Every structure is written in structure tokens, then in C-alpha cells.
Amino acid sequence: MNDTILTRREFLKASGALVVTFSVAPTIAGAAATATKTVAANEVDGFVAIDGNGRVTVYSGKVDLGTGVSTALSQIAAEELCVPLERVTLVQGDTALTPDQGQTWGSLTIQLGGMQIRRACATAREALLDRGAQKLNLARDGVYAKDGAVMRLGGGASVPYAQLIGGSHFETKVNDKVALKPPATYAIVGKPIRRFDIPDKVYGRFTYMQDVKVPGMVHARVVRPAALKADLVAYDDSAAKKLPGYLATVRKGNFLAAVAKDEWGAIRCADAIQAKWSDWQGLPDPSKLWEHVRSTNVVKEEVFQNVGNAADAMKTGKTLHATYDFAIHTHGSIGPSCAIAEYKDGRLTVWSASQATHMLKKQLANMFSMKPDHVRCVYVEGAGCYGRNGHEDAAADAALLATELGRPVRVQWSRQDEHGWDPKGPPTLLEHSAAIDSNGNVVAWDSHVYIPDRPKGFEVTLVAAELAGMPKDLAFPGNIHQALAIPYAFPNVKATAHWLEHTPFKPSWIRTPGRMQNTYANESFIDEVAAAAGADPIQYRLKHLKDARGAECIERAARLAQWTPRSFGKSSGRDSGDVARGRGFSYIKYELVRTYVAVVADVEVNRKTGAVKVTNFYCAHDCGQIINPDGLKNQIEGNIVQTVSRTLIEEVKFDRSRVTSVDWESYPILRFPDVPQIAIDLIDRPSEAPWGAGEPAAAVVPSAIANAIYDATGVRLRSVPFTADKVLGALSRA
């Protein structure tokens, strides 16, 4: 491969074929940290700079993972600064340039990170107005900001920002109580601005992490152990040494990698190395996974909702019980993880698609026993990421090799690396019980979830650190207890998390961690309770909901879907033919404190094959003030499509030693012909705070589908994914 620079589109046109992981990007300049600016999160200069031409640079510790949030953050900044949107450039996730705003997770980028930027920009605007008034020799209340300038009220004199601040620093603390622009005056926020990144992605011009080059870099592939915790007994790299481009074999403990001049050479050399690994068969029997989870030692229990006395109330009325399980999921990133690292003069620079570059910086410093200030992580968007996938691990691979070799090293994971070695969404087991009185009212609700324990830190163990026997962090599974508590006003409620000592695979958070699994059980079970009471599931929820905003969301979803009341106790509304059609409902107030989502799913169930097809989704969504309605719809659609896939198809397969579902054949995802039609009703509340949208709409998808299958067939599916075999089994038992 030479260094000829082609766009991806030009390459595809020339070759007439789709080639994955072909690096055609422009070279990125060297690693020297040039930053002299502050990255303090309480300083305006930490977030904003205006140059001599009046162009604005906004620095965000939160990053765009393909969600389009970079456009939304730019809208927020341009609005508060009163500058045209096209003058704003966003720098993301460079630890030498951006404040540490925490991980890009939990639907908090707009809600928290965006509001930090909003306050910083508003503070900057006020400082510019002060300077402008002085410059124009006017009273402070005699000027206003517009189009990147301070102007005299009533017309006449003006002075551009570039003359007031251009190239220098604000040297001002962020005022957390600064007056923000009234929403009624917004000209940019709330508008459906088209995403900046889409044209380059569509036309093959976008530079992903996988496309980045650093001068002098070499390529490496890691030789993965034959089993997850196998030890490297011996290796023979004599065949690799004979291959063109071979540069080195690096071993450190159980970490083994081949290094070559180019990527293909690294692949061939890694394949040519003969490694002998010890036997390890420590994974549970896959056919007895849930028995394994149930028998795992519980290290502690936590009650997350306790109203009245659920135990005593459960002794009265008619009782219902149900057990739900949710499979192990992998991130399934479309573009396998990739990173480049350079170690020079005692300093480490890493280019990574990590969603948490500031945390990665600390982890790498810990791994190599370096000062954090000697590590710089630079964010470059990856081709596919939602949650903590393998990007950080690829970064650690590259960093280890760069420190060993003293030159820049690029590590590109294979599909087998990604599916086999990224951290997993852990198996989740839930048990629910309820008691209802003679009128069908819930008198007691008791839920239990069995999930892996959380360490104090938010890090996830780096694979390279573990294999090489270097300092490492424990693995954080995400706040997977969230959404176990319910929004309904029952007189007696108890929700308990049983924290387990261990889980089969290294856990991490995947989109909507815990909230999806817990909502799946909660919203499936309340559907079962409504059916037992002979009530329409939407009316039953509304009856027990004391939240006007939530009720509005539910009612708007029902109107959007043209919902007609269901009466399950009379078995009405179900088809009797080979293809049964039904619809199901689900609702969430995310973590009981923010974004409201209500959905209706339409499904078709083939009674002969067991195949489930989701044909339509209707979604009412209230996340407060909407920054970009077009981007928000993108997020909701992505939530629904991805989660339909997770609900119907996705499941990690394994044997006693390793993951066996290491390609798209063994770990299939939803294909385009199976994507449902999606209708969305956005509930905009401009005067309210903006909440997140990256996760909430995913939380309600599995239960909506489960409830629709029941509506169609009269059988309950309580084990995700809803595969054809499970559907046929449930139908045969009905």
C-alpha cells in the first residue's frame, strides 16, 4: 500500500468493490502537544476562543460518537455567543485542549456538557458586551450582541468580537448564574440544522479513526489467547520473520503481537506466529447460564425503592410472578476498534475513538506508571461506537507497543478481536411479583434484579494491561440498577438489586445499560398485571400514574398510533391465522427524573416459523427543550432500530473457553429490510431544561415488542432475544 491519498468514495469508484479497513486518509501531524490554553472547566477560556478573524473555537470534553451532537453543541455555543453558526468550530475530546467533562455516556452530553458550554459562552458574551460598550463609549445597557459583534442599540456604531478579544484570552471564570438568552429570542437552537458530518460521511470524505496516519508509524496485530484467561506457554515466530515487512515480535506476559511495516504485513505475521496456550475452561455452561447467574454469590443487596410494606401486602389478593432474562450482548461496532500511539521523550500520545479520553488518559498513566500530565489522548471519531467497546483496549495495545518500540504504532482490531474481546453487556436476571385486589388494583409490587457488582471507579479493565500483568483497573458495568424503580403510584413497592460477585465476561456499559433490561421487565410485568385485571394496558398505566407530563406523553403516543383499547382477558384483538398481528405499549420516565418516552410497537408473528417482524414503531418523546429536532429524530430512530435488533436477534454465544460468535454470521444484527417504519411526535418545551436523548427511547423497545407479541398470540416472551425457537416453544406450550 502506498501513501496515495484518495477519498473513500474515489477508491470505491475506482475499484468497484467495498473494502473494509482500507486506510486512505490524510496524514495527521506529529504528536507534540501544542496546548498552552487552560483546560479548566471553570474558566471561559477552557471552553471558548475567538481568533483575530472572529472565528469561534469551542472546546468540548464530550465527544460525538456518530450521534450528531457536535452540530447541536455548536448550535448552543453560536446561540449564546450571538455568532453565525458557520463561524463555530468544535474541538472534541483532546485532553490537552478540552476540559474534562466526564465520559460521553448516560444521555448527558447535552444535558450536562452542553449546559456547561452554554454558560461559558453566555459568560463570554457578557464579557464582550462589557468591552464593546467601553470601546464604543456607550452605557452597558446601550449595546447588544449580534452576528459576532457588539452593536449600539438603535443602530449606528458597532465593533466586531475580533477587535475585542481576537487571539487573546477572556481570563474570566464561568458564571454559573449568568443570564442566558431567553428561548423566545432563539434563532439557532431549536432549529432543524442539518448535521455537519453527514455530507462527508455520505460522500466518503470523512476521516475516521481507522483512516488516521501518523508520520513514521508501523502496524501491529495482537495474537489473542486461545482462551480468555489462558497463559502463553511458548511461541515460535520463525515463519513470521521470513515474511515481507516483518519488524518485530513483542511479548510481555500473555500479551503477544506482531509488528510490520504495513497493516497486511502485520496480519500475515500475526497469523504466522505459532503460539502455545494453556488450557482454560472457566466460563459457565452456556445451556445453564441462568442457573449460573442465580447461584453466583451475592456480595450485597440494595433497595432502590421502598414504599409501604410490599412483603405484607403481597399476602393479600391475587398474586402474579414472572421471571425475565436478558442475554449477554456485544457492542457489535461496525468498524472494529483502532488506535495509534506514539511514545517520545517520556510522553505518550494516543489517538483513539474512546468515548472517555480523559478517563483513558488516567488509565494509561496508571498502566505505565506515568504522570497523567505526560499522557495525551486525542479523540478521533470511530466507525461505530455506542458504549465502552474495544477502542480503549486498542489504545492500550498501541500504547504498550509504542513504549516497547519507541516509535508510533497503529493497532487495528479484527472483527474477531472486536466480537471476541470487547467488554460485554452482562446477563441480567429479574424476578417480579405483584398482588392485585378484586378490582384489579395493584396492592403490592416486588422486583429483584441480579447483576454484577460495581467497583468504585468508572473504568473498565484494559485487555493489554491484564494480559501483560501491568497495573489495571476493575471493570465497571455501568449504572445498571437504574430504572429498576417504577413510576407508578402503587401503595406498596420494593425494588431490590442483588449485586453479584462476578459475571462470565468483563462487563461494561452498552447503550441504555440496565435501564433497558430493568424497563423490559417492569413494563412487561405491568402489562401482565393489566391483562390479569382485564384492563387496557395504556389506561391501566394512566390510572396509576401521578405525573401530568408523563400522562401527556403516553396520551400523545396513543394518538400517534391510533391506539384502540385492548381487553386481553377476553382474548380479543388477536389474529388466528399463520401470521398473527398485535401491538404493544411501553413507557419510561428515564431514571424517574428526566426524559419521558412512550411507544407503541406493531408486530407480525409467524406461527409456523416463529419469526417476529416489527413493522411499525410510534414514539412520543419529551426531553424538554429541543436543541435540534432533526438530530433528535435521528437519535430516536437509532435507538429504536438498534434495540429492535438487540431484542429479536442479538446474543453472545460462547463455549467454556471463549466467545464463539465472532462474526456477523454468528452474531447477526438487523438488516435494512427488517427495519420498522418509525413515526415520532416530538414534545418541545423550549422554556424547560434540555435532557438527554441518546438512550431513553431504547429502554422501552424490548417490552413494547414483548407486549405486542402477547397481543398477537396470547403468549408471553420473557427471555431476550425473542428468537424463532423461543417463540415456537412458547406457542407450543400455550
Side-chain angles (χ1 to χ4, degrees), residues 93-178:
D94 184 334
T95 59
L97 299 174
T98 65
D100 183 354
Q101 295 181 278
Q103 299 85 299
T104 305
W105 69 354
S107 295
L108 295 171
T109 298
I110 293 293
Q111 183 173 327
L112 297 183
M115 296 307 96
Q116 287 178 294
I117 289 173
R118 173 175 279 177
R119 290 190 291 271
C121 290
T123 306
R125 181 198 65 226
E126 293 301 305
L128 290 164
L129 284 168
D130 288 342
R131 296 185 188 192
Q134 291 181 3
K135 186 82 172 181
L136 297 172
N137 198 26
L138 295 168
R140 177 61 172 78
D141 59 2
V143 296
Y144 68 103
K146 182 180 180 182
D147 293 336
V150 176
M151 301 185 175
R152 179 178 179 274
L153 278 174
S158 67
V159 55
Y161 289 171
Q163 290 185 21
L164 298 172
I165 190 70
S168 61
H169 297 151
F170 284 95
E171 297 182 347
T172 302
K173 299 286 185 185
V174 176
N175 180 0
D176 290 336
K177 299 181 180 179
V178 65

Side-chain angles (χ1 to χ4, degrees), residues 529-718:
V529 172
D536 172 73
I538 290 182
Q539 292 304 317
Y540 196 76
R541 286 171 171 85
L542 288 171
K543 178 181 177 182
H544 295 95
L545 194 66
K546 309 300 180 187
D547 184 330
R549 194 164 164 179
E552 180 185 349
C553 188
I554 290 175
E555 289 164 349
R556 288 179 66 157
R559 284 199 298 273
L560 182 68
Q562 298 183 22
W563 179 271
T564 55
R566 330 300 272 182
S567 182
F568 296 117
K570 299 176 182 176
S571 299
S572 62
R574 298 173 194 155
D575 288 335
S576 57
D578 288 345
V579 177
R581 297 171 179 81
R583 52 184 11 195
F585 179 83
S586 186
Y587 162 77
I588 189 172
K589 180 181 182 182
Y590 208 57
E591 300 171 349
L592 297 186
V593 295
R594 47 190 179 132
T595 303
Y596 297 85
V597 186
V599 296
V600 173
D602 288 345
V603 304
E604 294 177 352
V605 183
N606 189 309
R607 294 180 185 274
K608 287 188 173 180
T609 66
V612 176
K613 181 176 178 61
V614 180
T615 56
N616 296 284
F617 246 96
Y618 306 88
C619 177
H621 194 282
D622 176 359
C623 60
Q625 181 189 90
I626 296 174
I627 305 301
N628 184 331
D630 184 59
L632 176 56
K633 285 185 176 179
N634 295 164
Q635 281 283 57
I636 295 168
E637 290 168 349
N639 270 301
I640 292 172
V641 172
Q642 183 182 14
T643 314
V644 169
S645 178
R646 295 179 66 179
T647 304
L648 297 183
I649 305 172
E650 297 185 35
E651 182 176 19
V652 170
K653 301 294 178 57
F654 55 95
D655 59 21
R656 303 302 297 269
S657 297
R658 60 190 178 278
V659 174
T660 56
S661 51
V662 293
D663 53 35
W664 295 121
E665 189 70 25
S666 52
Y667 191 91
I669 58 175
L670 202 70
R671 305 295 178 95
F672 279 111
D674 297 319
V675 170
Q677 293 290 321
I678 300 171
I680 299 170
D681 180 8
L682 297 182
I683 304 172
D684 189 15
R685 301 186 189 277
S687 61
E688 298 288 343
W691 289 328
E695 295 181 342
V700 288
V701 171
S703 45
I705 296 174
N707 297 337
I709 293 172
Y710 175 75
D711 184 45
T713 66
V715 301
R716 292 287 179 186
L717 272 291
R718 300 191 181 104

